[in-house]
Amino acid sequence: MFLKRIFFLGITLIALASCYNPSSNESFEDLKKLEGRWSSKEGVLFNEHWQVANDSLMTGLGFSLKGEDTAFVEKMKVYLNGDSVYFAAKVDQKKDFVIFTLTEAGRNKWVFVNAAHDYPNIIQYEIKDDTLLYAFTA
C-alpha cells in the first residue's frame, strides 16, 4: 500500500511539473535563455545575436550571409508590456516593426503569432540542450 501511494504521488508530481503555465514575467525571464550568438549549421546560413537590455527588453540582430556578403538583416526585440510578451522584427529599411504576440510559452519553447501579417504568421523558438536553438517560421 505504501509503494502504491509513493507511485501515485510520483505520477502526480510529474503531471504537475509538465503543466508549466508561466506568467508574462516568467515567460520573459525564460526567454532570456536566448541571450547570446546563434548560428545555423544547415541550409541558409542565418545568425541571431540576442542581448538582454533590461528587465523588460531584449534586443537582437538577425542576418544571413551569402558567401562573405550580408544578404539579409533584421532588427529584432522581445519585450514585456503589461501582461503580454511580444516579438518585433524590422527588416532592412522598413519604417515599422512587425509585432507578434506570445501565444504559447514553456521553459524552453515560445510561439509568437501575428495572424494579420502576410509572412510569417508564426515565429517559434525552442532551445534544446542549452546549446541548440530551433527557430521556425510559418
Side-chain angles (χ1 to χ4, degrees):
M1 185 63 129
F2 177 72
L3 289 176
K4 239 184 199 181
R5 285 187 179 161
I6 295 294
F7 175 76
F8 285 115
L9 178 62
I11 295 295
T12 302
L13 290 175
I14 289 170
L16 289 174
S18 66
C19 296
Y20 180 61
N21 188 15
S23 69
S24 296
N25 287 327
E26 290 168 327
S27 293
F28 188 80
E29 284 301 311
D30 291 336
L31 276 156
K32 288 180 180 179
K33 294 175 188 174
L34 289 176
E35 185 170 40
R37 296 175 181 265
W38 302 91
S39 298
S40 63
K41 299 295 181 200
E42 297 176 1
V44 175
L45 297 180
F46 195 78
N47 301 276
E48 287 191 9
H49 298 174
W50 285 98
Q51 69 181 60
V52 176
N54 58 46
D55 289 340
S56 61
L57 174 66
M58 292 177 58
T59 58
L61 180 67
F63 61 94
S64 63
L65 301 173
K66 187 174 185 177
E68 293 185 22
D69 295 327
T70 303
F72 176 82
V73 176
E74 70 178 332
K75 293 181 181 179
M76 303 175 296
K77 58 185 174 180
V78 172
Y79 60 98
L80 180 63
N81 186 6
D83 290 336
S84 298
V85 178
Y86 301 95
F87 173 95
K90 185 167 99 168
V91 179
D92 296 323
Q93 301 301 321
K94 300 271 182 174
K95 181 180 174 186
D96 298 319
F97 279 87
V98 177
I99 299 170
F100 298 78
T101 304
L102 181 66
T103 59
E104 294 178 41
R107 285 186 174 86
N108 294 310
K109 183 178 177 181
W110 308 273
V111 178
F112 297 89
V113 176
N114 178 337
H117 191 250
D118 54 357
Y119 180 84
N121 300 115
I122 299 169
I123 298 173
Q124 177 178 319
Y125 288 100
E126 184 173 359
I127 295 177
K128 296 190 177 195
D129 304 327
D130 293 331
T131 60
L132 186 60
L133 173 66
Y134 287 103
F136 301 97
T137 58

